Amino acid sequence: MEGYDYEFLENHAKDPGTHHFKGISSPKAIENITDYKPDSILVFGWAFQSHLRIIRHFKGKVPVYFRGDSTLIDQKFGIKSNLKKIFISWVYHHIDIAFYVGKKNKSYFKRYGLTDKKLRFSPHAIDNDRFSIDRKKDAAEIRKTLKIGQNDLLILFAGKLESKKNPELLLHAFFELDLPNVHLLFVGNGELEESLKLKVESLEQKSEVGSPKFEEPVSIKDLNTPNVLRRAQDHIEVQSSKFKVQSLVFIPSPPSSTSGCSKSLKERIHFMDFQNQTQMPAVYQACDLFCLPSKGPGETWGLAVNEAMATGKAILVSDKAGCSADLVKPHLNGEIFISGNLKDLKDKLLTTLSNKNILIEYGKASKKIIEDWSFEKQVNSFLKTINS
């Protein structure tokens, strides 16, 4: 925080946080900003009590710049949509300049009344340099811990295990394809963590009796059954020096003629807890393909895609991910599939995983593309606008 003046205002909200409108409430914000005598004001997001008050109060007094990443991906039409348009257009009437993060965000701003004259491009970005640092040794350690062979391929999902990111669809596609020497790693925690692990268990049970179908996981009440209890005991946790890794390991009983499928599954689906950002570059570098199967609503961008690209990885995303229109170039650095479409996801997985050399070339292209999506470009856009 060195090198410039700053001040944090006290939040008086009864339920502080960014999850609701009244979660950011600073009654003295306008007074403090006035005393600070700014040449301009940059506001990130308007859907908070204090933010909206600041935008309204300083209109016409101090240049008000706005930053947001909303899109029209989940746009619905009807009376509510028309009322929403009237209200949000009124909000943006108070803005002098809005910084858009990508194509879909720009379309959103234009939908609500901002013209090209009032729009400036300022890319969504992460610390590209930190993610591009060589972490091959740590990446090799992760693969060794997961027992992934040198010639095996690894698909990575990294992020919150939540509905909008749709990790279940990726698990579904992975199981149905059952590609030899291909592994799947989920990195993160969230509301769907237990459900995903139970789904793996459910898949395992079905494969033992010759019916490898994707079905809902066993319910909590079913945990009293001997088989499920036995499987819970078979779960092992492997620890390396830096990474906590969980691999679901199941021992089929009784043996059957389809046990090969069961064995393949238990060896190739892995879970890793949430990792600190210092470790994530190594996690990305351990994979061959990064997949974000988002279904929305609310997946306005997907910064994990930026991170994976900075490490030089091939990308597979759904068309509901806000970054898809800007960062993923089909047949150049990855593929885009139709959100929620299992067949399309499987087809795109087969395409990208068909040749390891293709994945390598896609990764090189990703690293090149993401160079223009940097903090430097973002900040320079702010400075150029403010100084003009």
Side-chain angles (χ1 to χ4, degrees), residues 20-303:
H20 66 124
F21 179 73
K22 294 184 178 181
I24 300 179
S25 178
S26 182
K28 293 187 177 181
I30 291 176
E31 178 184 342
N32 287 31
I33 293 172
T34 301
D35 291 342
Y36 191 74
K37 298 179 180 178
D39 296 302
S40 57
I41 299 172
L42 175 59
V43 182
F44 285 74
W46 60 263
F48 306 106
Q49 190 174 68
S50 284
H51 290 57
L52 190 55
R53 287 182 65 238
I54 290 168
I55 290 172
R56 293 180 61 194
H57 178 83
F58 287 100
K59 173 180 168 55
K61 301 173 184 176
V62 177
V64 177
Y65 303 125
F66 182 80
R67 169 83 163 177
D69 63 0
S70 297
T71 72
L72 299 172
I73 293 175
D74 301 301
Q75 180 75 26
K76 295 180 180 179
F77 298 95
I79 296 177
K80 288 185 178 180
S81 176
N82 292 332
L83 292 174
K84 178 181 178 180
K85 182 178 180 181
I86 293 171
F87 174 72
I88 298 181
S89 296
W90 171 80
V91 172
Y92 290 145
H93 174 70
H94 297 79
I95 301 297
D96 290 288
I97 296 291
F99 295 100
Y100 66 92
V101 303
K103 293 176 182 177
K104 293 186 177 182
N105 181 217
K106 182 179 182 180
S107 296
Y108 168 87
F109 281 132
K110 296 187 77 169
R111 157 80 175 168
Y112 294 112
L114 291 175
T115 63
D116 286 326
K117 187 177 180 180
K118 287 194 170 188
L119 293 172
R120 302 288 187 276
F121 176 55
S122 179
H124 241 330
I126 52 96
D127 189 350
N128 291 340
D129 292 338
R130 181 164 63 83
F131 279 87
S132 63
I133 293 175
D134 190 342
R135 297 287 296 276
K136 288 181 182 177
K137 290 184 178 179
D138 291 330
E141 181 182 350
I142 294 173
R143 291 178 69 97
K144 181 179 179 182
T145 302
L146 297 175
K147 298 181 180 180
I148 300 174
Q150 185 175 356
N151 296 321
D152 292 348
L153 299 178
L154 176 61
I155 305 168
L156 171 65
F157 171 96
K160 290 182 181 179
L161 300 177
E162 57 186 353
S163 179
K164 74 176 182 180
K165 294 187 182 295
N166 207 10
E168 303 107 318
L169 187 70
L170 179 57
L171 178 62
H172 191 167
F174 180 81
F175 183 76
E176 288 203 358
L177 287 174
D178 194 20
L179 299 173
N181 304 318
V182 178
H183 292 245
L184 174 61
L185 171 61
F186 291 102
V187 177
N189 301 105
E191 60 192 31
L192 296 180
E193 182 177 357
E194 182 180 2
S195 173
L196 287 168
K197 291 177 179 178
L198 288 173
K199 276 185 169 67
V200 174
E201 183 172 337
S202 176
L203 298 176
E204 195 78 356
Q205 288 177 317
K206 291 297 179 182
S207 65
E208 289 174 16
V209 295
S211 179
K213 297 178 180 179
F214 187 87
E215 296 185 359
E216 290 301 308
V218 292
S219 63
I220 297 300
K221 66 180 181 180
D222 293 329
L223 291 176
N224 292 322
T225 62
N227 280 341
V228 175
L229 285 175
R230 184 167 182 269
R231 293 176 188 288
Q233 293 168 354
D234 290 336
H235 170 266
I236 65 172
E237 193 171 277
V238 184
Q239 290 220 268
S240 67
S241 58
K242 296 182 180 178
F243 303 95
K244 183 177 180 182
V245 179
Q246 296 178 342
S247 294
L248 298 183
V249 179
F250 305 110
I251 302 175
S253 176
S256 71
S257 60
T258 60
S259 60
C261 179
S262 173
K263 180 180 178 181
S264 175
L265 183 61
K266 73 178 183 181
E267 291 176 348
R268 296 188 288 114
I269 300 178
H270 316 278
F271 290 86
M272 184 183 291
D273 286 331
F274 169 83
Q275 300 292 306
N276 188 283
Q277 277 288 300
T278 58
Q279 304 299 345
M280 283 308 297
V283 174
Y284 286 115
Q285 290 180 36
C287 81
D288 299 282
L289 173 68
F290 179 77
C291 183
L292 183 64
S294 305
K295 66 178 180 180
E299 189 67 272
T300 54
W301 188 260
L303 282 170

